[in-house]
Amino acid sequence: MKIAVDAMGGDYAPDEIVKGVELARDAYSDLEFLLYGQKTKVQPLLQDQTRITLVDAPEVIAMGDEPVRAVRRKKNSSIVLAATAVKEGQADAFFSAGNTGAVLTAGLLIVGRIKGVERPGLTTTLPVLRKLDQSSFVMLDVGANADTKPFSVIQYAVMGQYYAQSVMHVDNPRIGLLNNGTEADKGDQDHRAIHDALAQMPELNFVGNVESRELLNGAADVVVTDGFTGNATLKAIEGTALSMLKLIKGEIMSGGLGGKIGAGLLRPVFHNVKAAMDYSQYGGAVLLGLKAPVVKTHGSTKAPTVKNTIGQIRELLKAQSVQQLGSYFDQHAEQMATIKETLK
Amino acid sequence: MKIAVDAMGGDYAPDEIVKGVELARDAYSDLEFLLYGQKTKVQPLLQDQTRITLVDAPEVIAMGDEPVRAVRRKKNSSIVLAATAVKEGQADAFFSAGNTGAVLTAGLLIVGRIKGVERPGLTTTLPVLRKLDQSSFVMLDVGANADTKPFSVIQYAVMGQYYAQSVMHVDNPRIGLLNNGTEADKGDQDHRAIHDALAQMPELNFVGNVESRELLNGAADVVVTDGFTGNATLKAIEGTALSMLKLIKGEIMSGGLGGKIGAGLLRPVFHNVKAAMDYSQYGGAVLLGLKAPVVKTHGSTKAPTVKNTIGQIRELLKAQSVQQLGSYFDQHAEQMATIKETLK
């Protein structure tokens, strides 16, 4: 299995990306890498080139670049070259910590969609906080599309199911529709129609509507939503978790308790909590519905997260989830066409 | 100023509602109350009937009742009778901790909209957690409408501005549009159009798009959004805050640290944090855009929150914010018609 890596994307690129690739190479003997970046910068960072082929990519797509224009114009950028390698079959997956919009655009325009998939869905893994037992759930779309058609949400349910099965190893994942109440008739016309369509798909373990209040309590293994609501919900969870962590830390330290306990004793507590919330350790965000795994991690990604994320990509490849999704949409083309017609 | 109170709504009704009304009566000598409830149940709870008139309401709208049907059929319920008193000018505002949908429906159908307002917006106050200095922001619509037209979001900005000025005493409130990025061109077509329309209203201090990640950091004083996204965002914030509180508490207690510190020493820390997150102390959720303040608090509301919320209603009445909003939409009828046309 060969993974095309963008060495130039992210706040700590290329150093931490290269380090992370070397960690992954050492951990997984069945992986090879095509590493795309400015040769003069990346070459000196490589300790050992075993199973890593460095490919020169003289151009760089910056964090602030307008995504579609950048992908169209910067043909020799690490993002465009890495995505092209996947398209041409030289690599099996594409990984980047760079400009999110550009990664999504390159995935959509260069790697391309699985036949039958209308829109890819950006999929992220979040922890179930009820107990720190490492259980988690996936949510999609969290922002690949600002304007989502109801039919796409149906396809997200199918994609999410395969992802939960193959990467998270959940047997019969519970699929929930993010809505503004749990009753079947909640939401606007689109959400009621999506609910009813999902309820009629026997191959899905659809548990009905879920509210964003219950997500971290594990209301479902796969939460499907339009990209706009999913993005707002994900960012609200992130922002609130960070704010609460700071607030509680501040209260303990300033209330005199900090002195009593000692900052050193508190550190592991907050470290554990932070780790629980750090969903990037679960493998970054995957753009599902494409002909190969395209995975994007936070811009602030460092080497250990690069390694973990590559481990998740390896799971995706081993499970052949793209091929499985391809067969699914192939075999269910008629059913999908009927549902699409119903949801118009 | 006279407030019509639903004594029968909420998990602790009528006991805690009656207690809260008596607390408010004692705290604010300029308030009178019309208290609606089953006389046989409520009368024995009243310690002192000064400035409180008990009105018998033999029917009760339960938490699980279908809202529109309940409001149409249960003409002698506390919710319908209290809303009717406001409509007929016998009271100046309506307060309930009962069935949210029924309260919103009674507000919309019985109290009625301000002339020129398309849809009322459910408005809630949330704390800025960056520092525990009691600063806060308002967000609307958080769920009165599942299907929001772009034009309504423009009107929410106007309503939110008046609310922030009159109740929160913020001079020139910063108004932000909840979107999936801060740049002006973010979001779907509707959000871009809303952004551009808000940017062209000189009477608003519009600060542009805000992301849900930054809300608790105080990104804006007034956050406007469609009711579906607003509902998902609010519930994500609530759910995450509760989960984080539980998680951190659990980590401290189970990690052996709990024994060192002692649960008693930790209690005030978590009490402070909980209080900061308890936005019901900021006055419940107000349905803005109606001919009188209609205010709904959590079902779990107890007497002190009832009292605080009534204090906020008093602020709304003293500031004559409904009359001011009425004049605004009257004087800006032409401008509103133009914006509505543009947003079609």
Side-chain angles (χ1 to χ4, degrees):
Chain A
M1 294 174 285
K2 201 177 270 187
I3 299 174
V5 175
D6 162 23
M8 307 303 287
D11 306 339
Y12 304 106
D15 306 58
E16 292 290 324
I17 308 294
V18 173
K19 254 189 229 168
V21 167
E22 293 212 63
L23 287 175
R25 185 261 329 273
D26 296 342
Y28 309 112
S29 60
D30 52 1
L31 291 185
E32 292 177 65
F33 298 91
L34 292 174
L35 192 58
Y36 292 85
Q38 292 175 316
K39 210 160 191 170
T40 50
K41 286 191 182 159
V42 178
Q43 185 71 66
L45 301 169
L46 266 172
Q47 309 274 329
D48 165 9
Q49 223 163 309
T50 311
R51 284 181 278 121
I52 298 175
T53 307
L54 177 58
V55 184
D56 190 35
E59 288 177 295
V60 174
I61 294 181
M63 286 309 215
D65 282 0
E66 199 285 310
V68 178
R69 195 182 314 153
V71 168
R72 290 224 168 105
R73 295 197 184 166
K74 294 187 173 173
K75 298 287 182 204
N76 289 312
S77 62
S78 50
I79 287 178
V80 171
L81 289 176
T84 305
V86 174
K87 181 199 176 182
E88 293 177 346
Q90 292 154 30
D92 304 301
F94 167 33
F95 167 82
S96 174
N99 181 318
T100 306
V103 174
L104 300 187
T105 303
L108 185 62
L109 299 184
I110 300 173
V111 175
R113 286 167 295 158
I114 290 172
K115 201 187 150 203
V117 169
E118 288 252 318
R119 292 291 189 111
L122 192 61
T123 311
T124 199
T125 308
L126 287 158
V128 174
L129 289 190
R130 212 180 19 192
K131 45 195 191 308
L132 278 183
D133 67 348
Q134 305 269 332
S135 66
S136 54
F137 68 97
V138 292
M139 180 156 77
L140 73 164
D141 174 26
V142 295
N145 309 284
D147 217 340
T148 306
K149 295 232 164 24
F151 177 59
S152 290
V153 181
I154 305 295
Q155 296 199 320
Y156 297 157
V158 174
M159 298 179 202
Q161 186 192 36
Y162 274 83
Y163 187 79
Q165 283 170 340
S166 58
V167 178
M168 297 161 63
H169 309 295
V170 180
D171 262 349
N172 190 22
R174 296 164 300 137
I175 294 165
L177 171 65
L178 186 62
N179 207 334
N180 60 3
T182 53
E183 301 88 341
D185 62 347
K186 280 290 178 176
D188 55 11
Q189 209 180 326
D190 281 352
H191 282 83
R192 291 196 295 269
I194 294 167
H195 177 281
D196 293 349
L198 288 173
Q200 280 164 37
M201 293 171 74
E203 66 272 41
L204 299 181
N205 179 14
F206 181 55
V207 296
N209 292 325
V210 295
E211 292 189 277
S212 57
R213 190 188 281 129
E214 297 301 327
L215 298 186
L216 298 181
N217 286 331
D221 301 308
V222 176
V223 175
V224 292
T225 171
D226 67 276
F228 194 87
T229 312
N231 191 266
T233 302
L234 175 65
K235 288 175 178 166
I237 291 174
E238 286 179 356
T240 307
L242 282 175
S243 294
M244 289 294 288
L245 205 57
K246 265 191 227 161
L247 182 67
I248 295 174
K249 223 170 171 174
E251 276 292 293
I252 290 178
M253 297 312 284
S254 73
L257 258 183
K260 281 204 183 59
I261 313 169
L265 281 169
L266 268 177
R267 208 167 291 136
V269 170
F270 287 103
H271 178 82
N272 282 351
V273 173
K274 244 189 175 153
M277 274 311 295
D278 177 19
Y279 57 90
S280 66
Q281 75 171 335
Y282 294 92
V286 185
L287 192 60
L288 288 181
L290 299 183
K291 285 178 183 156
V294 169
V295 179
K296 161 75 180 76
T297 56
H298 264 205
S300 58
T301 292
K302 292 196 175 183
T305 303
V306 172
K307 186 212 132 196
N308 286 341
T309 308
I310 288 172
Q312 296 286 342
I313 296 175
R314 181 170 166 269
E315 295 283 312
L316 268 170
L317 290 174
K318 274 173 58 186
Q320 301 208 292
S321 58
V322 167
Q323 290 82 344
Q324 285 192 27
L325 269 181
S327 314
Y328 179 93
F329 285 113
D330 218 32
Q331 286 161 21
H332 292 74
E334 215 170 298
Q335 183 198 7
M336 283 290 138
T338 310
I339 295 176
K340 190 176 170 183
E341 199 49 45
T342 316
L343 289 176
K344 253 182 192 159
Chain B
M1 293 175 286
K2 202 176 268 186
I3 300 173
V5 175
D6 162 23
M8 307 303 287
D11 306 338
Y12 304 107
D15 306 57
E16 292 289 325
I17 309 294
V18 172
K19 253 189 229 167
V21 167
E22 295 213 63
L23 287 175
R25 185 262 329 275
D26 296 342
Y28 309 111
S29 60
D30 51 1
L31 291 185
E32 293 177 64
F33 298 90
L34 291 175
L35 193 57
Y36 291 85
Q38 291 175 317
K39 210 161 190 168
T40 48
K41 286 192 182 161
V42 178
Q43 186 70 66
L45 301 170
L46 266 173
Q47 308 275 328
D48 165 8
Q49 222 163 310
T50 311
R51 285 181 277 121
I52 298 175
T53 308
L54 177 58
V55 185
D56 189 37
E59 288 178 294
V60 173
I61 294 182
M63 286 309 215
D65 282 359
E66 198 285 311
V68 178
R69 195 182 313 151
V71 168
R72 291 225 167 104
R73 297 197 183 167
K74 294 187 173 174
K75 297 289 182 203
N76 288 312
S77 62
S78 50
I79 288 179
V80 171
L81 289 176
T84 306
V86 173
K87 181 200 174 180
E88 293 176 347
Q90 292 155 31
D92 305 301
F94 166 34
F95 167 82
S96 174
N99 181 318
T100 305
V103 174
L104 300 187
T105 303
L108 186 61
L109 299 184
I110 300 173
V111 175
R113 287 167 294 158
I114 290 172
K115 200 185 151 206
V117 169
E118 289 250 318
R119 291 294 189 108
L122 193 61
T123 311
T124 197
T125 307
L126 287 159
V128 174
L129 288 191
R130 213 181 17 190
K131 44 196 192 308
L132 277 184
D133 66 349
Q134 306 268 333
S135 66
S136 55
F137 68 97
V138 294
M139 180 156 77
L140 74 164
D141 174 27
V142 295
N145 309 283
D147 218 339
T148 307
K149 295 230 165 26
F151 177 59
S152 291
V153 181
I154 305 294
Q155 297 199 320
Y156 296 157
V158 174
M159 299 179 200
Q161 185 192 35
Y162 275 83
Y163 187 79
Q165 282 169 341
S166 58
V167 179
M168 296 162 64
H169 309 295
V170 180
D171 263 347
N172 189 23
R174 295 164 300 137
I175 294 165
L177 171 66
L178 186 62
N179 206 334
N180 61 3
T182 53
E183 300 88 342
D185 63 346
K186 279 290 177 176
D188 55 12
Q189 209 180 327
D190 280 352
H191 282 83
R192 290 196 295 271
I194 294 168
H195 176 281
D196 293 348
L198 288 172
Q200 280 165 38
M201 293 171 74
E203 66 272 39
L204 299 179
N205 179 14
F206 181 56
V207 296
N209 292 326
V210 296
E211 292 189 276
S212 58
R213 190 189 280 130
E214 297 301 326
L215 298 186
L216 298 181
N217 286 330
D221 300 309
V222 176
V223 176
V224 292
T225 171
D226 67 276
F228 193 87
T229 312
N231 191 267
T233 302
L234 174 66
K235 287 175 178 166
I237 290 174
E238 286 179 357
T240 308
L242 282 175
S243 294
M244 288 294 288
L245 205 57
K246 265 190 228 160
L247 182 66
I248 295 174
K249 225 170 169 172
E251 275 292 294
I252 290 178
M253 298 313 284
S254 73
L257 257 184
K260 280 202 183 62
I261 312 171
L265 281 170
L266 269 178
R267 209 168 289 136
V269 170
F270 287 103
H271 179 81
N272 282 350
V273 173
K274 242 188 177 154
M277 273 314 294
D278 178 19
Y279 58 88
S280 65
Q281 75 172 336
Y282 294 91
V286 186
L287 192 60
L288 288 181
L290 299 183
K291 284 177 184 158
V294 169
V295 178
K296 161 77 180 74
T297 57
H298 264 204
S300 57
T301 292
K302 292 197 174 181
T305 302
V306 172
K307 186 213 133 197
N308 285 342
T309 308
I310 288 172
Q312 296 286 343
I313 296 176
R314 182 171 166 267
E315 294 282 312
L316 268 170
L317 291 174
K318 276 173 59 187
Q320 301 210 288
S321 60
V322 168
Q323 290 82 343
Q324 285 192 27
L325 268 182
S327 313
Y328 179 92
F329 285 113
D330 218 33
Q331 286 161 20
H332 292 73
E334 216 170 294
Q335 183 199 5
M336 283 291 138
T338 310
I339 295 176
K340 189 175 172 184
E341 199 49 46
T342 315
L343 288 176
K344 251 180 190 157

